[in-house]
Amino acid sequence: MAMAQKKQVLLADDEPNLRRVLGAQLSRDGYDVLFAEDGAQAVAALEEHHIDVLVSDLRMPKLDGMGLLK
């Protein structure tokens, strides 16, 4: 039987402490977590990886959360 692959979560937020704390919790909960410091990095990660869930701040430099969702 094949092992279930971890779901990938992209956490996009310009606040380092929030990324660290939320990322640690998501990892403990069994998710593979990728990080982006701003909307532009998040777009690059979405183009490069299969992301199952996106958690995004609304106010970020370069591209805000609403722009990212579009």
Side-chain angles (χ1 to χ4, degrees), residues 12-15 19 36-44 56-69:
D13 197 298
D14 58 334
E15 174 56 48
R19 286 195 313 270
E37 295 180 7
D38 57 49
Q41 282 186 5
V43 168
S56 177
D57 189 3
L58 287 177
R59 294 183 184 164
M60 295 183 290
K62 298 183 184 174
L63 180 65
D64 68 15
M66 292 309 291
L68 174 59
L69 291 175

Side-chain angles (χ1 to χ4, degrees), residues 3 6-7 9-12 17-18 28-29 33-34 39 46 48-49 58-59 63-65 68:
M3 289 183 61
K6 286 184 176 184
K7 297 292 184 189
V9 175
L10 174 58
L11 180 54
N17 288 332
L18 191 133
R28 279 192 298 271
D29 289 344
V33 183
L34 291 99
L46 287 165
E48 186 175 332
H49 302 277
L58 287 177
R59 294 183 184 164
L63 180 65
D64 68 15
L68 174 59

